[in-house]
Amino acid sequence: MGDMSEGGTTKKFLYLNRKASYGTVYALESLEVVLIAAAFEQDVSLAFIDDGVYQIIKGQDTKGIGMKNFSPTFNALGDYDINKLYVEKESLDERGLTEDDLMPLVYEDEDDDWAEKPSIKIVNRAEMADLMQDQDVILSF
Amino acid sequence: MGDMSEGGTTKKFLYLNRKASYGTVYALESLEVVLIAAAFEQDVSLAFIDDGVYQIIKGQDTKGIGMKNFSPTFNALGDYDINKLYVEKESLDERGLTEDDLMPLVYEDEDDDWAEKPSIKIVNRAEMADLMQDQDVILSF
Amino acid sequence: MSILHTVNKSAYERNALDSCLGHTKPGDSVLLIEDGVISARAGSVAGDKLAAALGETGVSIYALGADMAARGIPEDKLVDGVKVVDYAGFVDLAAENDAVEAWL
Amino acid sequence: MSILHTVNKSAYERNALDSCLGHTKPGDSVLLIEDGVISARAGSVAGDKLAAALGETGVSIYALGADMAARGIPEDKLVDGVKVVDYAGFVDLAAENDAVEAWL
Amino acid sequence: MKFGILVNEGPYQHQASDSAYLFVKAALEKGHEVTRVFFYHDGVYNGTSYSVPPLDDRQITKQWSELAKEYDVDLVLCVAACQRRGMMDDGEAERHGKGANNVAEGFRISGLGQLIETGIQSDRLVTFGD
Amino acid sequence: MKFGILVNEGPYQHQASDSAYLFVKAALEKGHEVTRVFFYHDGVYNGTSYSVPPLDDRQITKQWSELAKEYDVDLVLCVAACQRRGMMDDGEAERHGKGANNVAEGFRISGLGQLIETGIQSDRLVTFGD
C-alpha cells in the first residue's frame, strides 16, 4: 500500500489516458491532475493507450477549432520529476503511428549528472498490463 | 421538402435510436420528442439500430437502479398514430436477440376496421439505409 | 496483486471491453455495469468473445444484476461462467482486489 | 436524394463509423469531424477500412481540416481520396445534400 | 438556405458545442439563415450566466450570446432539461421558489415543440452531440 | 476499508452518478468508510441547488445531500470545473461579481489537491464516468 517517505505516504499513481485531446476534456483534465499531483510527491506514471496516444502527437495546431493547444505542457512534466510516460506499441501500430510521430519529451536525470533522457517508454500490451498490476491508485479519465 | 396538409407542412421525421436505455438519457429524451411531435402531425418513423434495439426489449425492470422504467410508454405510441418502428435484423442478430425478445407493440388501423396490427417492422440493413434516404429530417440522440 | 476492472459500456458501442480484456492478468476480475452488461448476453457476438476470454485469460467475469434487469437480460441468458452480483457484491469485489481500474 | 453523414468519434473508440458506412448509399457523403478525423490517417486499421469503403460504396469521404490539425494529422498522411474541407465546406456539404444524419 | 441546429452536450466536456458554434458562424458568414439553435439534454448548460472560464480559455456562453445578438439567432434551452439540470429564468425561479436566474443573455427557455418546429421550418437540421 | 470515489459526469445525462450513489450507499451500509466523493468535470453539476426534477424522477442532488448528512461524507466539487460550468458558492460568487450561490447542502467547492489526497488516504479509489 505504499512506502512512507518524508513524513507522508508515497503511493503509485497511474493516470490512464485512453482518449484523444480536444474531442473531450478528459485529456486536458488528466494533465491538470498530474501537475497538481507533483506537489504531493507521489510515484506517478502516465499510460497512453488506445486513442490516448494522440495526446502526445507532434504538430498539434488548434487555431481552427478555437481551443488552446495544451500539448506543450507535456514538455514541462520533466521539470516536475514526472518522467514515466508509457506508450503502448500496439495502440501506435493500429493507428499508423510510430515513436517518431510523438513529441520528444525528455527530463534531466539528477542521478546521472543531469543528463537529458527520454521520458517516453514504448511498451507492448503485456508490459502495459504488468505496469497496471504494480499500481496503488489508477485514475481513469 | 414535404407536402402541405391541414394548413401546415408535413415532413418525414426519422428518429435514429442507436443507444440502449438507462446508461444514458438519450433513449428517454428521444421518446419525449416523439410524443411531443405527435401533436405536430408530421410523418414519423423510428429506427432502432445497434444497441438502440435494447430500448424496446421485453421485461425491463429498473427497480435496482433507482430509475423509472419508461418502456411501457412505447405501448402508447400507437394511440398517437406513431406505428412505424423499424428494427434492424442485423443489430438483433449480433446481440443474440430475435423479434420474440421485443415488446409486442401494436396499433389499431383505422383504415382496416380498427384491426390491431404490429407497429414493429423488422428490416435488414439495406432496407434501413433506404428508409434513411427517404427522410426530410433525421434526429439523432 | 489483482485488479478489479469495471466496464460500463457495451462492446458493440465502444472498444472498452476489448481494451480491458487485453490488459488483464490471471486472477483479475472484470465487472460489467450499466450498458456494459449488454456484452454478457449468451449467443451474441460480444458474448462469444467473453466466453473465449473466460477460457483463455484466467479472469473472473461478473455482471451487475440491477443493470441486467433494467436491460431485460435474465440470468439464464448470461454467458456461462459470468457471475451475477448486486451493489454489495460490487463493493466486496472492490475490497477484495488491490485496485480498481475503470475502463471509461 | 442524398445524405451527408457526420461522424465525430474515432473508429477505434466507437462503432459509429462502421455503422454509418453500413447505412450509406452511392452518392452520399461522409464527413469526419472532431475525433472522427483520427480514422482517416493512412496506413492504419481504420484508414484501410475507409479506403475500402471509398472503393466499394460509392460514397465521398471528407475530413474537417481544423480537427485534423488539432490532432496533428497533416494532409499528406490522409487516406487517398479523402477530401479536406473547412467549416464553410461543411456548410456547403450540408446544403448540397438533402438531409444531414449525425452518427452520435 | 435555412439551417436549424440541435446541440446535445454541454460546453467544455465535449467538443459538440464548439463544433456547433463554428458551423453556425460559418453558415451565417456565408449568408445562410440560422432559424434556431435548440439546446437539449446537457446542451442547456451552454446557457449558464454563472460560467467564469479562465481568461485564456474560450468563453463559450458569451460567444453564443454575441452571435445571437449580431445575427438575431434564437437560442432555446429545453425546459424539461433545464429543470433537471438547474437552469432557470425568472419565471421558472419564481415557480419553483428559487431565488435566481442563471440564464445568460440571448438564451430563452422553452418547450420541445420548438425543436419540432425547427425541423419543420428549416431546410436542414444539423445535430451536434457526443 | 476506506473508499474514495471519483465522479466524472453530471446527473441525468449518464448513469455514472446513479451508479456512484448506489455504490457509496452499499459501501456505507456494509460498514465501510467513504472518505470523500470528488466530483470532477461535468460531475460538478451533481451539486446544483437549482435542480427541480419531475417528482416521479430520482432527485439526484438531494440523494447526495441526504447521504452526506447521514454518514458524514465529504462531497467536493472541483473548483476549476465549477468555474467553467457555472457552479458557485458564496465565496466564488463574490469573487466573480455574480449574485448567487447554487451549491446544494452538503457539497463544498475545493481544489484538485483534494482528489490526490483522496487517492492517498483511501484504500481504494473507484471511478464512475462515461
Side-chain angles (χ1 to χ4, degrees), chain A residues 1 14 16 18-19 49-50 88 95 125-126 128-130 132-136 138 140-141, chain C residues 1-3 5 14-19 22-25 28 98-104:
Chain A
M1 196 49 58
L14 179 68
L16 180 59
R18 296 185 52 242
K19 292 177 182 164
I49 67 175
D50 297 331
E88 187 175 274
R95 286 160 187 77
R125 189 157 291 168
M128 187 61 86
D130 288 336
M132 290 170 181
Q133 293 290 327
D134 198 32
Q135 305 298 321
D136 296 307
I138 302 171
S140 308
F141 292 97
Chain C
M1 289 292 296
S2 69
I3 296 178
H5 304 263
R14 304 217 191 169
N15 77 331
L17 181 63
D18 280 342
S19 191
H23 293 90
T24 56
K25 287 280 180 180
D28 281 1
D98 299 293
V100 184
E101 180 166 8
W103 292 83
L104 301 178

Side-chain angles (χ1 to χ4, degrees), chain C:
Chain C
M1 289 292 296
S2 69
I3 296 178
L4 171 64
H5 304 263
T6 61
V7 176
N8 73 328
K9 294 293 175 187
S10 130
Y12 303 100
E13 185 193 344
R14 304 217 191 169
N15 77 331
L17 181 63
D18 280 342
S19 191
C20 167
L21 291 174
H23 293 90
T24 56
K25 287 280 180 180
D28 281 1
S29 295
V30 176
L31 172 62
L32 306 173
I33 66 170
E34 301 179 2
D35 289 345
V37 301
I38 289 173
S39 310
R41 191 167 179 124
S44 70
V45 172
D48 292 349
K49 212 181 283 180
L50 270 188
L54 271 168
E56 294 161 12
T57 58
V59 297
S60 301
I61 301 182
Y62 301 85
L64 194 62
D67 282 317
M68 288 168 46
R71 288 152 186 91
I73 304 175
E75 292 204 20
D76 62 8
K77 295 284 187 187
L78 274 191
V79 169
D80 273 348
V82 174
K83 289 164 242 172
V84 179
V85 293
D86 58 10
Y87 274 97
F90 183 177
V91 172
D92 291 341
L93 284 170
E96 289 160 12
N97 288 277
D98 299 293
V100 184
E101 180 166 8
W103 292 83
L104 301 178

